[in-house]
Amino acid sequence: MTYVVTDKCIRCKYMDCVEVCPVDCFYEGENMLVIHPDECIDCGVCEPECPVDAIRPDTEPGLEQWLSVNTEYANKWPNITVKRESPADSAEFENVEGKFDKYFSAEPGQGD
Ligand code: SF4
Ligand code: F3S
C-alpha cells in the first residue's frame, strides 16, 4: 500500500506534510504535491498533518485516480522536504469541488 495526495491539495498546497515524512517522498507540482508510492513506507504520520485532509491511504475505495496521478508525477516533479509559504489564496480553494479538472497543472514546482 501507500498513502496518496488527492485533489483536495490542489491550490491549497499547505506543505505541512513534507516536514514530517521520515523518507522525504513528497514531490512538488505547480499546484499540488504527490507522494512517491514506491518510497512511502506507510507510516501514516503525514495524514493528520494536512489541514484539508488531502492525504489518504490507498486502501480506501475510489482512490485509483489519485494513485495514478501520484505515481506518474512523483517521477516527473522535484523532491520537496522543506515547507515554504503556501499560496496567498490557499484558503479560497479549501472547499472547491472538482479541482482536478479546473486547476490541475502538470508543470513542476520549484522543489527544495
Ligand atoms: Fe511519508 Fe509516512 Fe506519509 Fe508515506 S505515510 S508519505 S512515508 S509521512
Ligand atoms: Fe497538500 Fe495538505 Fe500537504 S494541502 S501540500 S497535502 S499539507
Side-chain angles (χ1 to χ4, degrees):
M1 67 166 286
T2 181
Y3 281 71
V4 296
V5 183
T6 68
D7 60 338
K8 288 186 177 180
C9 177
I10 295 174
R11 294 199 68 165
C12 288
K13 202 180 177 186
Y14 286 113
M15 292 175 274
D16 298 318
C17 52
V18 304
E19 296 273 322
V20 299
C21 180
V23 294
D24 296 338
C25 65
F26 282 91
Y27 293 80
E28 184 185 6
E30 182 180 22
N31 291 339
M32 74 178 289
L33 304 193
V34 291
I35 290 169
H36 197 309
D38 296 336
E39 297 175 359
C40 174
I41 59 170
D42 311 328
C43 69
V45 299
C46 58
E47 183 186 340
E49 294 299 316
C50 177
V52 292
D53 206 21
I55 301 173
R56 309 303 315 155
D58 80 336
T59 46
E60 287 186 3
L63 295 178
E64 295 79 8
Q65 179 183 6
W66 311 124
L67 179 59
S68 158
V69 167
N70 280 244
T71 302
E72 178 174 357
Y73 290 97
N75 286 302
K76 294 180 174 171
W77 290 346
N79 191 235
I80 174 169
T81 63
V82 180
K83 176 179 164 71
R84 296 193 314 275
E85 215 169 299
S86 53
D89 57 358
S90 289
E92 292 172 30
F93 293 93
E94 286 186 1
N95 297 310
V96 174
E97 298 289 329
K99 289 200 277 186
F100 187 78
D101 290 338
K102 290 177 190 159
Y103 303 119
F104 176 76
S105 165
E107 294 301 311
Q110 73 180 68
D112 287 341

